C-alpha cells in the first residue's frame, strides 16, 4: 500500500517565493537605485545576511550618508524623498524638482559637537517641499581653521545633492567684509547648476538702514531685489525678507526665517527657513533664491563665538 501524498500547498499571495511577482512583492529584479548584492547564503537581498556587503546606495558620497530611493522612507531619519517629475525643456539636470513647487522649507541640522564644545562645524541642511518630502540635501565644505577663525563671515563652498546623491547645485561665497561701512567690499554668492555652469548671482547692495540684495541671472542682469527689515532680530515671530521687482514696487516672493522656540534659538544656530516664489518662475532663478537664503542665514542668523545673534545690517 503506497503512502498518501499530500497535495502541494499554493504560495500565499504576497509571500516572496521563488520567481513570485504577485501583489506586495517587487519582483526578482530590483529597480535602479536599490542596493545590489552579490550571491551568498541566506535570504536573497537581506541586508546583513552572510555573504552580503553592507547596506549602501550607488553613487552617493559616504561622508553625508546614503539617501533613500525616491519616494521610499529613509532608513535612518524616516524622511520621504520627493519623486522626480519629468524635466521641462532646457532644465539643468536635477532642477526638475523645482518646476513643480512654489514653496521650499530649509531645516538646518543640529550639530551636537558644536553645541557641546562650541567649535564651529560645517553646516548641513535638509531642503523639503510643502508636503514635507525631502527635495535636496545641502552640505557645506570647509576646513577647521576657516570655520573657527572667520566665523559667520567665512568663505565656503556648499553643494546641494539630489535623492541619488548627485551634486546638482553648488554655492560659492568668497571672503568679504561683513560691515555696511565698507561699500566697496560687500557680500556676494555665486550659484552653479550643474557644477561649473553659473546660473545666477546674489550681491549685497549698500544701504545705511536696510539689508538689501540683488538677484542676477547668468548674464549678471538684475532680476529681483531682496529687502529685509531694519532690525533683523525678533522674538516669537518670523523675520521676513521680501523678494521684489527691480523697482521694488511689486512683491514676487519671500524668504522667511522661522521662529524655532526659545531653547533652539538660544543654544543652537540651527535655523529653519521658508522660501516662497511663483510656480512658473524659471527653475534657475528658484535655485538662485535658495542661494540667497543661505547667504542671509550666514550673514544674520549664524551665531558667532560669543553665541550672540547679529542684529540689523551692522
Amino acid at each position: 500500500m503506497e503512502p498518501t501524498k499530500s497535495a502541494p500547498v499554493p504560495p500565499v499571495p504576497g509571500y516572496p517565493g521563488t520567481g513570485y511577482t504577485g501583489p506586495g512583492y517587487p519582483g526578482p529584479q530590483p529597480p535602479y537605485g536599490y542596493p545590489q548584492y552579490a550571491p551568498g547564503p541566506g535570504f536573497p537581498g537581506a541586508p546583513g545576511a552572510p555573504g552580503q556587503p553592507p547596506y549602501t546606495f550607488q553613487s552617493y558620497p559616504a561622508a553625508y550618508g546614503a539617501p533613500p530611493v525616491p519616494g521610499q522612507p529613509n532608513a535612518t531619519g524616516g524622511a520621504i524623498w520627493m519623486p522626480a517629475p519629468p524635466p521641462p525643456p532646457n532644465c539643468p539636470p536635477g532642477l526638475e524638482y523645482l518646476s513643480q513647487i512654489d514653496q521650499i522649507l530649509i531645516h538646518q541640522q543640529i550639530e551636537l559637537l558644536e553645541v557641546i564644545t562650541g567649535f564651529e562645524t560645517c553646516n548641513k541642511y535638509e531642503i523639503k517641499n510643502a508636503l514635507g518630502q525631502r527635495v535636496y540635501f545641502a552640505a557645506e565644505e570647509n576646513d577647521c581653521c576657516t570655520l573657527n577663525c572667520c566665523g559667520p563671515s567665512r568663505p565656503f563652498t556648499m553643494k546641494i545633492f539630489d535623492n541619488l546623491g548627485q551634486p546638482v547645485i553648488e554655492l560659492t561665497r568668497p571672503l568679504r567684509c561683513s560691515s555696511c561701512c565698507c561699500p566697496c567690499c560687500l557680500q556676494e554668492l555665486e550659484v552653479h547648476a550643474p557644477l561649473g555652469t553659473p546660473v545666477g548671482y546674489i550681491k549685497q547692495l549698500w544701504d545705511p538702514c536696510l539689508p538689501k540684495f540683488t538677484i542676477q541671472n547668468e548674464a549678471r542682469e538684475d532680476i529681483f531685489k531682496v529687502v529685509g527689515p531694519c532690525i533683523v532680530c525678533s522674538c516669537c515671530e518670523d523675520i521676513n525678507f521680501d523678494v521684489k521687482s527691480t523697482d521694488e514696487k511689486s512683491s514676487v516672493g519671500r524668504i522667511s526665517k522661522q521662529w524655532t522656540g526659545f531653547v533652539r534659538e538660544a543654544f543652537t544656530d540651527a535655523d529653519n527657513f521658508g522660501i516662497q516664489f511663483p510656480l512658473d518662475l524659471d527653475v534657475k532663478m528658484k535655485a538662485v533664491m535658495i542661494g540667497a537664503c543661505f547667504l542671509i542665514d550666514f550673514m544674520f542668523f549664524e551665531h558667532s563665538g560669543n553665541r550672540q545673534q547679529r542684529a540689523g545690517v551692522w
Side-chain angles (χ1 to χ4, degrees), residues 137-141 157-161 167-171 195:
F137 181 83
E140 176 189 359
E141 295 181 353
T157 296
M158 184 173 299
K159 291 184 179 179
I160 301 178
F161 301 88
V168 295
I169 304 175
E170 183 180 67
L171 312 177
L195 276 63

Side-chain angles (χ1 to χ4, degrees), residues 103-116:
Q103 185 177 1
I104 281 286
L105 305 176
I106 299 179
H107 302 305
Q108 183 177 354
Q109 295 185 349
I110 297 178
E111 301 292 336
L112 294 179
L113 179 63
E114 185 173 328
V115 175
I116 296 174

Side-chain angles (χ1 to χ4, degrees), residues 58-272:
Q58 298 175 345
S59 303
Y60 192 77
Y64 307 119
V69 180
Q72 300 295 330
N74 189 342
T76 57
I80 298 178
W81 286 81
M82 175 182 174
N90 302 321
C91 177
L95 299 191
E96 60 270 12
Y97 297 91
L98 299 178
S99 65
Q100 303 292 320
I101 54 180
D102 60 358
Q103 185 177 1
I104 281 286
L105 305 176
I106 299 179
H107 302 305
Q108 183 177 354
Q109 295 185 349
I110 297 178
E111 301 292 336
L112 294 179
L113 179 63
E114 185 173 328
V115 175
I116 296 174
T117 64
F119 286 98
E120 188 70 29
T121 58
C122 290
N123 291 353
K124 299 180 179 66
Y125 303 84
E126 286 183 317
I127 303 177
K128 301 180 180 181
N129 60 14
L131 300 178
Q133 297 173 322
R134 188 183 296 177
V135 183
Y136 299 116
F137 181 83
E140 176 189 359
E141 295 181 353
N142 229 323
D143 58 87
C144 182
C145 180
T146 303
L147 286 168
N148 293 279
C149 293
C150 299
S153 301
R154 64 183 180 265
F156 64 79
T157 296
M158 184 173 299
K159 291 184 179 179
I160 301 178
F161 301 88
D162 63 5
N163 55 15
L164 295 178
Q166 301 296 328
V168 295
I169 304 175
E170 183 180 67
L171 312 177
T172 304
R173 179 198 187 189
L175 182 62
R176 291 288 187 272
C177 179
S178 59
S179 174
C180 68
C181 297
C182 300
C184 61
C185 190
L186 297 176
Q187 298 291 323
E188 65 178 57
L189 186 140
E190 186 172 340
V191 182
H192 291 213
L195 276 63
T197 304
V199 295
Y201 306 85
I202 303 99
K203 291 191 174 183
Q204 183 186 10
L205 301 176
W206 186 87
D207 190 281
C209 300
L210 299 176
K212 289 187 177 182
F213 303 86
T214 180
I215 294 179
Q216 301 176 335
N217 60 12
E218 62 270 22
R220 296 186 180 270
E221 300 171 339
D222 292 350
I223 304 298
F224 302 122
K225 285 188 178 179
V226 180
V227 182
C230 180
I231 304 298
V232 190
C233 182
S234 67
C235 182
C236 302
E237 63 181 10
D238 296 349
I239 304 174
N240 298 320
F241 290 75
D242 293 323
V243 181
K244 300 183 177 183
S245 57
T246 54
D247 56 6
E248 301 186 22
K249 293 183 178 180
S250 59
S251 180
V252 178
R254 175 176 293 177
I255 299 174
S256 301
K257 193 271 181 186
Q258 301 171 347
W259 173 255
T260 56
F262 286 103
V263 175
R264 185 162 179 168
E265 294 282 345
F267 296 101
T268 73
D269 60 358
D271 300 313
N272 291 343

Side-chain angles (χ1 to χ4, degrees), residues 12-30:
V12 181
Y15 184 80
T18 304
Y20 184 73
T21 58
Y25 188 64
Q29 177 63 36

